[in-house]
Amino acid sequence: MTSNFHIGIMGNLFSGKTTLMQALAQDPYKSDLGGILGGAQVHTFSERVEKGSLADDCLALFYKDRVANIFATESAFLYMRTLQQREIRHLMTRESRKGVIVIEDRPFLDGPEVFVKRMIKSGEMPAAHARLYWTMLKQSLQAEHIRLPDLTV
């Protein structure tokens, strides 16, 4: 039987999430992690904001007017993270002789737990938008069977 393990790295912008993820995905750490799970394969996932994507377009609007565009921007990121979680779920549930280690530099709950909470607390996200966002988040967690990391850093 193979074992899988999911590591999520959370934090503010420029706090070193991607740097840590990249270090863990290279030797000697990669070999050590793989060895713990019997030669498991290491896969990395970064938040992907591709030029011209929905998240990119919303982010551009957010930088022009944070308050007016926070809900649309975070909704776009929620959608993007949901798609990424589908890829992770596929890796973690497929049949394989070797286990899988997923290292993710912005796990599914990072946006809501780090950024959205801060925007709500500061008053930049109106209460009605916050309630709708949390409703969408909970629905995504349930409908998509989101698997949260085994270890969050």
Side-chain angles (χ1 to χ4, degrees):
M1 174 154 174
T2 61
S3 295
N4 298 327
F5 199 74
H6 184 174
I7 301 170
I9 304 169
M10 292 176 62
N12 289 316
L13 292 172
F14 307 110
S15 62
K17 297 177 300 297
T18 303
T19 302
L20 176 58
M21 179 192 70
Q22 290 170 344
L24 291 173
Q26 296 175 19
D27 284 324
Y29 306 110
K30 180 180 178 179
S31 297
D32 291 343
L33 288 170
I36 292 169
L37 293 177
Q41 298 172 335
V42 175
H43 299 269
T44 59
F45 286 86
S46 289
E47 189 168 66
R48 297 181 294 234
V49 180
E50 296 170 7
K51 189 97 171 123
S53 69
L54 180 62
D56 184 46
D57 292 345
C58 289
L59 200 53
L61 293 171
F62 173 77
Y63 287 129
K64 289 179 183 173
D65 186 344
R66 289 170 59 104
V67 175
N69 294 295
I70 182 61
F71 179 76
T73 303
E74 284 306 312
S75 296
F77 276 94
L78 178 61
Y79 173 72
M80 180 190 66
R81 287 187 185 108
T82 299
L83 295 178
Q84 184 167 298
Q85 289 303 311
R86 288 178 185 168
E87 292 179 54
I88 291 171
R89 184 176 63 232
H90 172 74
L91 277 173
M92 299 294 273
T93 59
R94 70 180 182 176
E95 286 193 36
S96 176
R97 290 178 165 243
K98 292 186 175 186
V100 172
I101 298 172
V102 168
I103 306 172
E104 176 177 30
D105 75 354
R106 274 220 181 255
F108 190 77
L109 291 180
D110 187 64
E113 290 295 324
V114 174
F115 191 71
V116 173
K117 280 187 176 180
R118 188 173 67 227
M119 297 300 282
I120 292 167
K121 188 176 180 181
S122 72
E124 292 181 273
M125 182 182 277
H129 289 182
R131 281 195 319 274
L132 179 55
Y133 179 83
W134 290 115
T135 300
M136 291 171 26
L137 174 70
K138 288 175 188 173
Q139 202 253 336
S140 294
L141 280 166
Q142 292 171 351
E144 294 290 337
H145 306 286
I146 302 295
R147 184 179 188 274
L148 300 177
D150 298 301
L151 172 66
T152 302
V153 181

